[in-house]
Amino acid sequence: AVVLGAVGGPASQLANELQLPLSPLADLQRASLILIDDPAQFAAHAHAITTAVEQGAIAVLLELPVGEFALADSTITIERAGMNPRHFVSRQTGHPLVAGFQPNDFRFWHDSRTGYVTPILHTTFSAKGWDAILTSGNGDWSSGWGPALAVAEQRLGKGAFRICQLSLAGRTTTNPVARLFAQRLLGLLS
């Protein structure tokens, strides 16, 4: 895996928790897995990342900050979770990555950094044409409530871009469901 992000950020922490072998940035275009938590580094290497995805890589963008981003010919809008962060998300999308998970699997995950359950979703996003993997809702008292994405993918060539706003880092060592989902999301399990 190639990691583009801050040391100790979600991408490097998840790679460490899953004991992924890391490759240098020079191998970016040949990488099979790219973990990204820094939009500036994504922008700086967008062409190489897109080439790798077209050739079969999975590029996973983790916990992006609030804002708008261009990705795979789409505009991604990340918004803070209205009415507080979420302790749960819905797996009822029909996506193959969530096949076999049970109704209560994506809720109340233990956070190994704090030693207790903390929210697993602080932001949601919208992206036209992306396939939902996990969903939530977003809104407030004035704008109303509507569906929102928590995790989604966009296929490109032989690979895929995946955006994961779900907090996986810090949870895969103490939550078997989080670990299994992370392994599926990163393409580590067939």
Side-chain angles (χ1 to χ4, degrees), residues 26-38:
D27 291 344
L28 189 57
Q29 282 190 286
R30 295 181 303 281
S32 61
L33 175 60
I34 306 163
L35 300 176
I36 308 154
D37 63 25
D38 183 345

Side-chain angles (χ1 to χ4, degrees), residues 58-106:
I58 295 174
V60 182
L61 292 93
L62 298 160
E63 298 184 54
L64 295 174
V66 171
E68 283 194 359
F69 306 95
L71 175 60
D73 295 329
S74 300
T75 299
I76 311 303
T77 303
I78 311 287
E79 298 179 329
R80 185 158 312 285
M83 298 188 201
N84 290 321
R86 316 282 184 266
H87 283 278
F88 56 89
V89 294
S90 173
R91 62 152 188 42
Q92 293 182 318
T93 60
H95 196 284
L97 292 180
V98 294
F101 284 114
Q102 299 303 304
N104 293 323
D105 281 349
F106 290 90

Side-chain angles (χ1 to χ4, degrees), residues 40-163:
Q41 287 194 39
F42 173 78
H45 302 286
H47 178 72
I49 294 168
T50 301
T51 299
V53 169
E54 288 172 338
Q55 295 172 359
I58 295 174
V60 182
L61 292 93
L62 298 160
E63 298 184 54
L64 295 174
V66 171
E68 283 194 359
F69 306 95
L71 175 60
D73 295 329
S74 300
T75 299
I76 311 303
T77 303
I78 311 287
E79 298 179 329
R80 185 158 312 285
M83 298 188 201
N84 290 321
R86 316 282 184 266
H87 283 278
F88 56 89
V89 294
S90 173
R91 62 152 188 42
Q92 293 182 318
T93 60
H95 196 284
L97 292 180
V98 294
F101 284 114
Q102 299 303 304
N104 293 323
D105 281 349
F106 290 90
R107 61 180 60 217
F108 301 114
W109 286 353
H110 178 265
D111 185 336
S112 63
R113 295 167 292 199
T114 62
Y116 51 83
V117 170
T118 61
I120 61 175
L121 187 67
H122 296 271
T123 56
T124 63
F125 67 102
S126 59
K128 289 187 190 285
W130 285 60
D131 296 322
I133 298 171
L134 293 171
T135 60
S136 184
N138 208 350
D140 57 33
W141 294 110
S142 62
S143 67
W145 191 262
L149 298 169
V151 182
E153 81 173 343
Q154 176 68 57
R155 304 293 303 175
L156 181 67
K158 296 178 184 175
F161 281 104
R162 294 178 177 156
I163 297 175

